[in-house]
């Protein structure tokens, strides 16, 4: 017999974008340099800029069925050590009705959800910006739980006239620390290597973005 796989990796919610703007631009943008939008360091921690300091962000997404997810973050300076932001990313898969292995409904209800802290730090050397996002993860499906650790590491370069920017980020590298059940096999997490360039026109409100 042949059947589809259950999934290529666990903690897939880490790949979701919480930003309406980034979703409208394709879901992944790692080189935008035109605002104080605190959503941008979520996709590339090197994009955490001084203009974002002391900003507070809340996102809420009403997804398909009764799935909900969102993101909250706050950015603050840390003196000579650079810039930091702390946030929480979560997804709630809704309410489920329990059934046994034969499909008989028991009538019990349970929930499923996943949560990740986002601890972002960024620094700068001349025109080069760099950053890292450390993401402890907790995943809970009924009585099955898993904890893990993921991270993003990125760099960005901005031209002197701020018309051209480049970004490179390795997203979601890490591992499960505990599996969903005892002696279970550790699953991979959704690693993604992304590079992007953004070019704004000098005399028109248009920018071209390319992400690979």
């Amino acid at each position: 017999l042949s059947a589809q796989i259950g999934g290529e990796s666990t903690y897939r919610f880490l790949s979701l974008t919480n930003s309406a703007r980034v979703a409208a631009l394709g879901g992944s943008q790692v080189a935008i340099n035109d605002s104080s939008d605190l959503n941008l360091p979520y996709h590339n921690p090197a994009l955490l800029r001084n203009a974002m300091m002391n900003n507070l962000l809340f996102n809420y997404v009403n997804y398909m069925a009764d799935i909900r997810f969102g993101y909250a973050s706050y950015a603050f300076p840390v003196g000579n050590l650079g810039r930091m932001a702390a946030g929480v990313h979560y997804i709630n898969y809704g309410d489920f009705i329990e059934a046994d292995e034969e499909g008989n409904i028991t009538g019990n209800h349970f929930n499923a959800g996943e949560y990740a802290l986002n601890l972002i730090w960024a620094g700068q050397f001349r025109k080069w910006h760099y950053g890292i996002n450390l993401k402890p993860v907790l995943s809970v499906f009924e009585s099955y739980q898993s904890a893990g650790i993921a991270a993003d590491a990125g760099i960005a370069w901005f031209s002197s006239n701020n018309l051209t920017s480049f970004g490179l980020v390795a997203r979601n590298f890490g591992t499960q620390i505990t599996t969903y059940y005892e002696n279970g096999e550790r699953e991979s997490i959704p690693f993604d290597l992304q590079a992007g360039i953004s070019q704004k026109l000098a005399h028109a409100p248009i920018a071209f973005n390319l992400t690979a």
Side-chain angles (χ1 to χ4, degrees):
L1 295 177
S2 176
Q4 71 275 14
I5 60 174
E8 296 180 349
S9 59
T10 190
Y11 308 154
R12 293 295 300 177
F13 79 109
L14 295 175
S15 299
L16 293 172
T17 178
N18 297 277
S19 166
R21 180 191 184 196
V22 175
L25 293 173
S28 298
Q29 291 293 330
V30 300
I32 295 178
N33 175 37
D34 62 359
S35 73
S36 58
D37 185 358
L38 190 52
N39 285 298
L40 300 180
Y42 174 85
H43 295 274
N44 183 353
L47 299 180
L48 184 61
R49 307 292 303 279
N50 286 329
M52 302 174 186
M53 295 301 97
N54 299 314
N55 283 6
L56 182 64
L57 168 73
F58 291 99
N59 285 331
Y60 174 77
V61 181
N62 188 342
Y63 206 37
M64 64 184 71
D66 57 348
I67 300 173
R68 310 286 188 269
F69 67 92
Y71 179 61
S73 183
Y74 176 73
F76 53 94
V78 285
N80 295 330
L81 297 179
R83 301 172 290 274
M84 290 195 69
V88 177
H89 178 206
Y90 82 96
I91 184 167
N92 187 310
Y93 295 102
D95 184 60
F96 295 84
I97 301 176
E98 184 183 72
D100 62 22
E101 61 271 20
E102 296 178 349
N104 300 312
I105 302 298
T106 66
N108 296 324
H109 289 248
F110 65 91
N111 292 309
E114 298 182 281
Y115 314 88
L117 291 176
N118 281 245
L119 305 173
I120 303 173
W121 171 85
Q124 179 179 351
F125 178 73
R126 296 180 180 176
K127 294 181 181 180
W128 289 93
H129 298 250
Y130 45 86
I132 189 167
N133 183 6
L134 187 65
K135 300 186 285 191
V137 178
L138 175 64
S139 178
V140 181
F141 296 102
E142 202 256 340
S143 61
Y144 302 93
Q145 298 185 15
S146 172
I149 187 73
D152 307 335
I155 58 173
W157 176 87
F158 309 122
S159 64
S160 299
N161 59 10
N162 285 324
L163 296 180
T164 305
S165 57
F166 167 80
L168 176 67
V169 60
R171 297 198 66 204
N172 301 324
F173 58 90
T175 184
Q176 275 187 307
I177 298 174
T178 61
T179 57
Y180 287 100
Y181 52 92
E182 188 176 358
N183 299 321
E185 182 178 350
R186 281 188 169 83
E187 304 173 64
S188 62
I189 64 176
F191 174 78
D192 196 2
L193 184 64
Q194 300 176 352
I197 187 169
S198 178
Q199 179 65 53
K200 293 190 290 184
L201 300 184
H203 305 293
I206 297 173
F208 297 95
N209 298 283
L210 177 65
T211 304

